[in-house]
Amino acid sequence: MNEPAASNPPSHAALRWRLWLLERLAPSDWQVTLAWAALIGIGGGLSSILFREAVHGLHLLLTGSPAGMVESFTHLEPWRRCLIPALGGFLAGAILLIGRRLTPGKSTTDYMEAIALGDGKVPFRTSLIKSTAALFAIAAGGSIGREGPMVQLAAVIASRVGQWRSFSTPRLRLLVACGGAAGIASAYNAPIGGAFFVAEIILGTIAMESLGPLVVAAVAATLTVRILQDAHTLYQVPHFTLHSLWEILPYLGLGVLAGLVAPLFLRLLRRAEKLFDQMSLPLLARLTLGGLIVGVIAVWVPEVCGNGYSMVVAILNGNVLWSALLLIVVCKGLATGASVGSGAPGGVFTPTLFMGASLGFLVGSGAHALAPAAASDPKAFALVGMGAFLAAASHAPVMAIILLFEMTLSYDIILPLMLASTVAYFTARQYEGESLYGDFMRRREAHDPDRTLPPIVLSDLLRPQPAVVTLAAPFSEIARVFIQAQIDHLYVVDHQGRLAGVISLHDIKPYLGQPDLAACVIAADILRESVPSLNRSTSLAEALATFARSEFERLPVVATDGSLRIEGTVAKNDLLLALAESGATAKGATRKSADLR
Amino acid sequence: MKFPSDRLRMPSPSPVPDLFLTHINLELGSNEGVGALAELFSGLEPLPAVTDRQRLWNDLLGRQKAGPVAFSALVALPHARSAGVSEILMLAGRHATGIAFDAEHPNIRLVFLIVTPKDQAAAYLQKVATLARALRQPDRIAALLTAANGDDFQRILAGDAVPS
């Protein structure tokens, strides 16, 4: 008697174990996204460390001093103070020129644009060139922040990883946003602020679908920096106490003043950019001139060099006289205008913090002189001024409050900080519709409106080439594909590739270890024919309704010609992410319209 | 959390209460696959669960063409899911010398025909798996080949009278 092949105990035990592991350990799409966010965070942290070290090394090479930017320039001969920033501008320009030849064609490298307006693709080579140029401009004492290239590098890593993994557009954008959060978090040692910076300013939403991965990326980046470097709270500040309720009044005044001055600072930067545009200088000459202006100012006021970090620390610790600061802040504003206006690649975040600290300290000193009881410590005003100025300039008060709190870990200051930041934000919005970043995005759109992509459609969410079997596939093949592809539902197609149905892992799970069935059961015997499907013309709302009516986490997308040829699948979480994005975009558009009115 | 082998352990092979046969023909005459199938299929005709006889027959033949149904050298499990039937039905037939189901299975002695409504894929798979489990025992096959009548055949299949 010829009986069916006897079962092979070891292979069945292995199959059971694999299935058991698959069921319990197979991550959901969200868990996979969080895992990638963590990896992006680590990558962002590493790239930030690399960039920071490169700045230190190049700065040492150019100035011969391992000290901070302001200290180095203070000890340099005047002619070197003047020429080194100019040389940095020249080298940055040269690198950008070479980069233009290596990467012909107009392409934006801006990660904000890639997230908010684009498809999440950040050009790799162009970003590296821009970051290298920024390295020279920053290390040579340019009055710009180093956080810009740090974020850019983290974002480009994220974009490359997402493209390598063929992520859908919303997920790729989210991953680039994670890179941005990782860059900010590692630059300022502030994971919460990093996550909220991207959520509030770029994505315009704090929905958990996007905020969760941002937080994971920011935490991973911060931990990476803390483990590999001796990272500490960015601004070590003395203990501040609110001595009297009357102190709230000058803080309120500081909020209003920050809301008025921050737009002026933004206008100064725009004006400087226009002036450089009007000169119509070649790129090399333009950047060299920008550096030279910084250098000339630095001959008398070396404090203008760098991003302003050391000056902020000095202000917060009371090591600067208000009269000296008055001169420094004016010169710093001009120097930042020269650097930013000339197009030196870098960030304006830290210079903005410097302006806020200076304004706060000056207001605090003035209030203290007038009524000592109402402003007992001008240094506390400097701290509050940083948050208020940042809130007014960025139009992101929540991020400003959180970031300031994280950068100083001073809880006592939180009440006046919240109050002044909120007042500053509303005051600035009253007088200036555009923020530090919103302005930039709008000008980008105006320059190149074609870069504004149409809203997400179902095709953008398509994941091609899903695992399928044919109607005649034997049970053994079905089991193998389920195990290999780690899926819950397997699509069945006919000989023309048309969707015939779906096999549920739940249905066949109890029988996966039964070899008898391999002889006589095929896919056609066990498929469910009533599987809902989508096509490329299905709207996101219709797709959501279809998901709501079904039990599936993914649905097949079939050809629009009615042939039922399967083209791919759409995951429910990708759809939810896209809907969250479109909701945020709609809110952003509404807000912009309101601002314009 | 259950250990995987507990979770995935198959039901005990005997007794098998859900292996109820709607119809048994111990004297199939045709020694060719489709002919034997037609003989067995005739046992479905009077049943009210068969709502569309022609469709059911077509689906059965379509499934025969789509893939193998032989379980072993001696046993075949022709089956089909069809809109022509409203509940799962199982029939059995026996041939005295052997049916040529296909080139690889020229000597099939026992035929179990299973028909299932379209929407009962999981129940159908359970039925096939249970039957396959029952037919894994050589003694049971031998007893089915020598069962004196339909009642004995049913009892042997269900595990109530497996010879020692």
Side-chain angles (χ1 to χ4, degrees), chain A residues 514 516 520 525 527 529, chain B residues 10 63 79 81 118 129 136:
Chain A
Q514 196 164 340
D516 314 316
C520 55
D525 297 333
L527 65 83
E529 288 167 335
Chain B
M10 295 303 299
R63 174 60 185 88
H79 51 272
R81 288 167 62 205
K118 280 270 187 191
R136 194 184 286 172

Side-chain angles (χ1 to χ4, degrees), chain B residues 13-17 140 151-163:
Chain B
S14 61
V16 190
R140 197 189 301 257
D151 288 344
D152 283 354
F153 192 95
Q154 175 70 80
R155 278 197 294 274
I156 292 166
L157 181 66
D160 294 340
V162 179

